[in-house]
Amino acid sequence: MAVANVELLENGLASVELQKQKLAKLLEVFNRLYSESENTRLQLGEDEPIYLPADETVHFNRIIFAHGFFASALHEISHWLVAGVQRRKQEDYGYWYEPDGRTQQQQLEFEQVEIKPQALEWILSRACGHQFHFSADNLEGGAVISPAFKSNVKAQAQQLIDQGLSLRAQLLVTELCHCFAQKLPRAEDFIL
């Protein structure tokens, strides 16, 4: 029994170390690509994720992701990739956000604005060889991820691949595929 516990502990520590290495690679790639060209840096955060544009005290834009979670970093990057120039001048891109505990109607509105970011997150996940998970982001509200939402995200991911990603997104996907030794995502890679 003690040997099994030691193995579990060692495997857990190895997994944590692997996640740290993946995160370090993601931070390096993103910041190398966009720190100067877009004046934007990806940063590990302690609490809730947030996007903060440059201001008087910090002279660069910050994509701050939650608790060192790899998926949180990919999700926050996807919002940055969706946001246009004007939105990137606003805290959290000026998007509506209702915190955890949303009503069913609020959850439906949330799903509508999350289709494209989660599709991009899925594409980024594939580029990193990372497992993608749909997010309802409403634990207290008891929301489940609807089949329609999953289907819409899948269709959006396929459409983005078929029609071509934005230059910023394509550059990042290409670099991540190279860094994580993955093939470029294809539309047929996105299945439910």
Side-chain angles (χ1 to χ4, degrees), residues 98-116:
E98 190 70 34
D100 203 359
R102 292 186 285 275
T103 66
Q104 186 175 6
Q105 180 57 40
Q106 290 169 329
Q107 187 63 27
L108 289 173
E109 292 172 24
F110 169 82
E111 286 183 1
Q112 285 305 303
V113 299
E114 277 291 307
I115 292 169
K116 190 168 186 178

Side-chain angles (χ1 to χ4, degrees), residues 52-159:
L52 299 169
D55 58 28
E56 316 77 51
T57 56
V58 180
H59 301 289
F60 55 88
N61 308 309
R62 291 161 285 159
I63 302 170
I64 301 171
F65 61 97
H67 309 289
F69 296 138
F70 194 82
S72 176
L74 294 178
H75 186 77
E76 296 311 310
I77 291 169
S78 71
H79 277 290
W80 180 77
L81 291 169
V82 169
V85 173
Q86 292 307 311
R87 288 237 182 234
R88 292 193 310 265
K89 293 178 183 176
Q90 301 175 58
E91 183 174 314
D92 257 353
Y93 314 105
Y95 290 142
W96 161 88
Y97 182 77
E98 190 70 34
D100 203 359
R102 292 186 285 275
T103 66
Q104 186 175 6
Q105 180 57 40
Q106 290 169 329
Q107 187 63 27
L108 289 173
E109 292 172 24
F110 169 82
E111 286 183 1
Q112 285 305 303
V113 299
E114 277 291 307
I115 292 169
K116 190 168 186 178
Q118 289 200 29
L120 277 165
E121 179 186 350
W122 196 354
I123 293 167
L124 294 173
S125 294
R126 296 230 19 128
C128 296
H130 187 77
Q131 180 69 43
F132 171 75
H133 299 281
F134 294 94
S135 174
D137 191 34
N138 194 17
L139 301 175
E140 290 179 25
V144 295
I145 300 160
S146 71
F149 178 63
K150 289 180 179 180
S151 180
N152 288 335
V153 171
K154 176 192 88 141
Q156 180 70 69
Q158 291 172 330
Q159 181 181 357

